[in-house]
Amino acid sequence: MFRGTGCACATLPLSPWLSGRAVKLAKKSAPFAFDVVILGSGAAGLSVALDLPSHLSVAVLSKQAVGGSTPWAQGGIAAVVESTDSLESHVQDTLVAGAGLCNEAAVRHAIEAGEDSINWLVEQGTHFDESDGKFHLTREGGHSHRRVLHATDATGAEIYRALVEQAHARSNLRFFDQRVAVDLIVDKSLPVNERRVTGVYAYHLKKDRVQTFAAKAVVLATGGASKVYFYTSNPSGASGDGIAMAYRAGCRVANMEFNQFHPTCLRHPDAKTFLISEAIRGEGGRLTLPDGEPFMQRHDPRGELAPRDVVARAIDFEMKRLGAEHLYLDISHKPKSFIENHFPTIMQRCAQYGIEIDKQPIPVVPAAHYTCGGVLVDHQGATDVAGLYAVGEVSYTGLHGANRLASNSLLECIVWGRGAARHIGESDLPEIDLARYTPWDETQVTDSDEDVVVSHCWDEARRFMWDYVGIVRTDKRLLRALHRVEMLQSEIEEFYSNYRVSGNLLELRNLVQVAELMVRCALERKESRGLHYSLDYPESTETGTPTIISPRP
């Protein structure tokens, strides 16, 4: 059976054996054609779009109208903008948080571009909080100085507002929402080092059909894969689509075992994904047991300001020790006016669930928050496949190492997004020949009458990943997870091959592929380091190296 699998579609004419119906369908559904197609409309994707030369036509595809995880980011963006701080201090804080696995060149590349990135965001219309005519800076876990710029506790939403406003004013940009990418278009008959991406298949959620987007360059800005876990702070679209597609296209992935669990997600049955910003701890919030006793000093001398992996493990340990469903984060000792000024969004949201944070502690649990690994890229965001770039959480740049320092993620989006835009603008892009694109063919598949299978697979995958590949791991748990992954992959491939695609099926296919990569990376690391903690190997080795998974032939 032929379906648009991403194979040879831009180098061969229409398959001669396609049915007459399929050819007619192809004529009615000619491919969209753009110089650059960007998958994802968050800070990373919009940074690329806004910094590309204006003569290039650009398509921005997204699942929804909102910008991925960016509007959910509360804390801020880290950069050295004060004379009392230093680039070297920010570099060292990042290296320490990364537990010996950061690429120092990548760290310096990002941090040295920090102030310029802030100035660019301000030029785009971003309004950061100020005090006495200067940026108001807060401090978060792992930082030795106050260097986190913010817009109250809704920094991501403010950055997204400014960038999307600018993007909609650009005549060379066109937005396509309600699209879930199916696969990248590459000629898989070629060796990996000779492949070039020439577009993408995308499923239209409302029209229930797959469309072809031809492109000279494709940028993955699809975010991370925290939806692979049952409890997550991420929006529902964080299913690892870009990582899975890039791997299938021939890209290497790295450090997928390092999944950051944010220590403090609101524990309430009606607020499963609401994050309680680390900035609350930065401003004096205390983590306590159910009886009100602080406990972080027993786990780390830095207390509440220890890096996220340390704090998450401490909370996980105390919850298991006590058999508690959650612990607490208490900021109620601060004046109400202080809380209202610094954390209005959190205060309002908690109040919706009957929690008055100026009077009582907030119930919290750790939740999957950030994918520190991803598609292997260089300083321009270029991947192993020519013409394909990856920026933001979907990528592995070397900045984060074995753990991400708080508020470095938005900085990474801007630095690598703008770098990819410059590289594309300076490249000699190939011409597009629309006659060489094979259309997506659904003439040999049927509608599914068993969609319940997809929902059951979703639930099973996320639960066993939480149980076996969570904050604390063992080889036995990882092997159990790998066995279940392989069983699910067989079922999903059979389903994908015989039935028409749907948004849920496409996300499930990608999510389980990413789950496999996470488990394989975790099994290869015979030590505990950063976000990967194994009871079988509780110590760190003297030197650590990235875990790199090459695509299968």
Side-chain angles (χ1 to χ4, degrees):
M1 179 196 70
F2 178 86
R3 289 180 72 177
T5 59
C7 297
C9 299
T11 57
L12 296 176
L14 295 176
S15 298
W17 57 271
L18 281 175
S19 68
R21 178 186 171 194
V23 174
K24 290 178 182 177
L25 179 65
K27 290 179 179 178
K28 291 180 180 179
S29 305
F32 292 97
F34 291 88
D35 293 316
V36 183
V37 169
I38 300 170
L39 304 181
S41 60
L46 293 180
S47 295
V48 180
L50 291 173
D51 241 29
L52 283 168
S54 59
H55 69 272
L56 295 178
S57 61
V58 182
V60 179
L61 278 59
S62 59
K63 294 179 182 179
Q64 299 173 337
V66 297
S69 295
T70 296
W72 296 57
Q74 296 174 353
I77 178 170
V80 176
V81 295
E82 284 284 355
S83 59
T84 54
D85 196 1
S86 70
L87 295 176
E88 190 59 32
S89 177
H90 192 179
V91 166
Q92 293 306 316
D93 289 346
T94 301
L95 295 175
V96 169
L101 273 192
C102 295
N103 179 309
E104 187 170 341
V107 172
R108 294 187 181 279
H109 173 68
I111 289 169
E112 289 170 3
E115 188 169 14
D116 181 63
S117 298
I118 297 300
N119 292 336
W120 182 81
L121 284 171
V122 171
E123 290 171 3
Q124 305 310 309
T126 304
H127 301 295
F128 294 109
D129 286 359
E130 296 185 359
S131 178
D132 298 326
K134 299 189 298 184
F135 291 124
H136 181 274
L137 304 175
T138 190
R139 183 181 174 192
E140 296 182 337
H143 288 276
S144 57
H145 291 77
R146 285 181 172 267
R147 64 168 68 98
V148 179
L149 295 88
H150 62 100
T152 62
D153 57 351
T155 310
E158 169 59 17
I159 289 174
Y160 175 71
R161 178 205 62 76
L163 296 186
V164 79
E165 191 173 286
Q166 288 286 338
H168 280 299
R170 301 292 177 91
S171 60
N172 65 317
L173 304 186
R174 183 176 172 186
F175 284 82
F176 296 83
D177 61 13
Q178 301 299 316
R179 267 57 169 209
V180 176
V182 180
D183 255 326
L184 299 166
I185 302 175
V186 296
D187 186 348
K188 292 181 182 176
S189 67
L190 295 173
V192 171
N193 62 355
E194 297 179 17
R195 292 179 187 176
R196 181 174 190 92
V197 69
T198 53
V200 63
Y201 290 118
Y203 173 73
H204 196 306
L205 289 165
K206 287 188 174 180
K207 294 184 178 180
D208 189 28
R209 62 186 175 89
V210 176
Q211 299 171 324
T212 303
F213 286 80
K216 300 175 181 178
V218 175
V219 180
L220 299 173
T222 52
S226 287
K227 188 67 180 293
V228 76
Y229 289 102
F230 194 74
Y231 297 106
T232 176
S233 65
N234 283 198
S236 60
S239 48
D241 304 325
I243 298 171
M245 288 190 297
Y247 179 72
R248 289 195 294 265
C251 295
R252 291 171 294 167
V253 298
N255 280 16
M256 291 299 294
E257 71 270 37
F258 297 116
N259 307 287
Q260 189 177 80
F261 290 81
H262 197 287
T264 54
C265 197
L266 178 63
R267 181 68 166 92
H268 189 281
D270 297 327
K272 295 179 181 178
T273 61
F274 186 66
L275 186 72
I276 304 300
S277 172
E278 188 164 349
I280 281 190
R281 287 183 283 126
E283 295 295 343
R286 295 189 292 256
L287 286 164
T288 72
L289 303 176
D291 63 2
E293 178 189 359
F295 62 89
M296 273 307 303
Q297 287 294 335
R298 296 203 297 265
H299 295 271
D300 192 283
R302 291 166 291 187
E304 278 76 7
L305 291 179
R308 289 177 177 176
D309 61 320
V310 176
V311 179
R313 277 199 302 274
I315 295 174
D316 182 69
F317 174 85
E318 297 292 348
M319 287 174 59
K320 289 175 178 175
R321 180 177 70 84
L322 298 171
E325 291 189 354
H326 57 78
L327 298 184
Y328 290 93
L329 177 60
D330 192 1
I331 191 71
S332 63
H333 53 280
K334 290 283 190 177
K336 182 176 181 179
S337 59
F338 177 89
I339 298 172
E340 287 175 333
N341 289 334
H342 284 76
F343 309 111
T345 305
I346 295 173
M347 191 174 191
Q348 181 181 15
R349 187 68 176 270
C350 286
Q352 294 175 3
Y353 305 114
I355 303 166
E356 299 181 76
I357 69 173
D358 61 313
K359 298 178 181 178
Q360 63 191 108
I362 307 166
V364 294
V365 294
H369 181 61
Y370 194 88
T371 309
C372 286
V375 184
L376 192 64
V377 299
D378 62 16
H379 286 185
Q380 288 75 44
T383 72
D384 295 324
V385 174
L388 180 63
Y389 298 78
V391 295
E393 192 176 352
V394 67
S395 67
Y396 169 72
T397 63
L399 173 62
H400 303 313
N403 186 21
R404 176 175 70 88
L405 183 65
S407 291
N408 270 357
S409 54
L410 284 173
L411 177 63
E412 181 183 50
C413 288
I414 308 304
V415 173
W416 266 266
R418 297 182 69 201
R422 286 192 296 271
H423 193 262
I424 293 170
E426 295 168 358
S427 298
D428 185 15
L429 299 176
E431 294 301 317
I432 294 175
D433 182 359
L434 293 181
R436 292 183 173 273
Y437 284 78
T438 303
W440 186 265
D441 178 27
E442 290 191 335
T443 60
Q444 300 179 57
V445 294
T446 62
D447 290 319
S448 168
D449 58 357
E450 297 182 8
D451 283 346
V452 66
V453 173
V454 175
S455 62
H456 284 180
C457 288
W458 260 102
D459 188 67
E460 180 183 351
R462 298 180 69 208
R463 284 185 183 276
F464 73 63
M465 286 296 290
W466 181 264
D467 291 338
Y468 299 147
V469 199
I471 296 173
V472 177
R473 302 160 179 177
T474 66
D475 278 357
K476 185 176 180 179
R477 294 174 188 173
L478 293 172
L479 289 170
R480 285 176 176 171
L482 185 60
H483 177 65
R484 282 162 173 76
V485 163
E486 290 170 346
M487 291 176 61
L488 281 181
Q489 284 179 321
S490 177
E491 292 180 20
I492 292 165
E493 191 56 37
E494 188 273 336
F495 211 83
Y496 178 78
S497 298
N498 291 287
Y499 299 104
R500 289 189 175 90
V501 298
S502 66
N504 282 337
L505 175 60
L506 294 172
E507 287 189 332
L508 174 64
R509 179 178 180 237
N510 292 328
L511 179 141
V512 175
Q513 175 62 79
V514 169
E516 180 207 335
L517 295 171
M518 289 178 175
V519 174
R520 287 171 60 193
C521 283
L523 282 168
E524 286 196 19
R525 188 163 293 282
K526 305 301 183 183
E527 64 166 348
S528 288
R529 186 182 292 272
L531 300 167
H532 173 76
Y533 187 80
S534 172
L535 293 176
D536 295 324
Y537 312 98
E539 303 298 325
S540 296
T541 57
E542 289 187 9
T543 58
T545 56
T547 308
I548 298 175
I549 301 292
S550 297
R552 294 188 178 96

